[in-house]
Amino acid sequence: MDDYPLLNLFLTMMYFFLWVMWFFLLFKVITDIFRDDSLSGWAKAAWLIFALLLPFIGVLVYLIARGRGMGERDVKQVKEQEEAFRKYVQKAAGSDGSQSQVDELAKLSELKNSGHLTQEEFDAAKAKLLA
């Protein structure tokens, strides 16, 4: 360790960090190329070839030309995911505007107890509701 000064260790760690960050940026650009619905297939292929054959120039040109759209597409995707999650939770909780199965079963039981439904009708409605 005596022949490897602290400054060289610092520079090596910085280069390694920059190398890892470069790959994150490259993958981010590649995923954005495929996520963009406004690009045609040929345009996606051209950007991908440009980014892979001339990685530094290709990625930097992509960021300059389409960087604002990257952020907008990210925000749009997050909003769509949040909305899908919200709908799933509402559906699972039964609060999506329709009555939950528990409420429907309670009404069926009340109708059976009041004599408006026979046992067979109640069982058929209950099986249909739970299916």
Side-chain angles (χ1 to χ4, degrees):
M1 194 73 172
D2 294 332
D3 59 343
Y4 202 68
L6 186 60
L7 182 60
N8 286 347
L9 178 66
F10 174 74
L11 289 175
T12 302
M13 293 302 292
M14 186 180 74
Y15 291 146
F16 179 73
F17 175 75
L18 291 174
W19 184 72
V20 170
M21 291 302 295
W22 170 251
F23 276 107
F24 276 113
L25 182 61
L26 180 65
F27 292 137
K28 179 71 174 166
V29 166
I30 290 172
T31 56
D32 187 67
I33 289 171
F34 286 109
R35 184 186 316 154
D36 190 5
D37 293 333
S38 67
L39 287 176
S40 68
W42 289 106
K44 288 180 183 184
W47 274 115
L48 185 64
I49 290 170
F50 189 45
L52 292 178
L53 291 182
L54 300 170
F56 293 111
I57 296 172
V59 168
L60 291 176
V61 169
Y62 186 85
L63 289 175
I64 292 168
R66 303 183 51 81
R68 181 181 307 258
M70 286 178 69
E72 292 169 357
R73 282 184 289 281
D74 282 343
V75 169
K76 178 183 172 190
Q77 182 184 18
V78 168
K79 286 182 180 180
E80 288 173 355
Q81 288 176 343
E82 286 178 355
E83 184 62 29
F85 178 72
R86 187 174 295 116
K87 285 181 182 179
Y88 171 75
V89 169
Q90 288 175 345
K91 180 181 176 191
S95 63
D96 58 349
S98 65
Q99 294 177 331
S100 68
Q101 287 182 341
V102 175
D103 293 336
E104 300 242 353
L105 284 173
K107 286 185 178 183
L108 284 174
S109 178
E110 185 180 316
L111 287 172
K112 185 186 88 140
N113 291 339
S114 66
H116 293 294
L117 288 178
T118 65
Q119 183 64 37
E120 293 80 25
E121 292 171 332
F122 174 76
D123 291 336
K126 179 179 168 185
K128 181 180 176 185
L129 180 65
L130 295 177

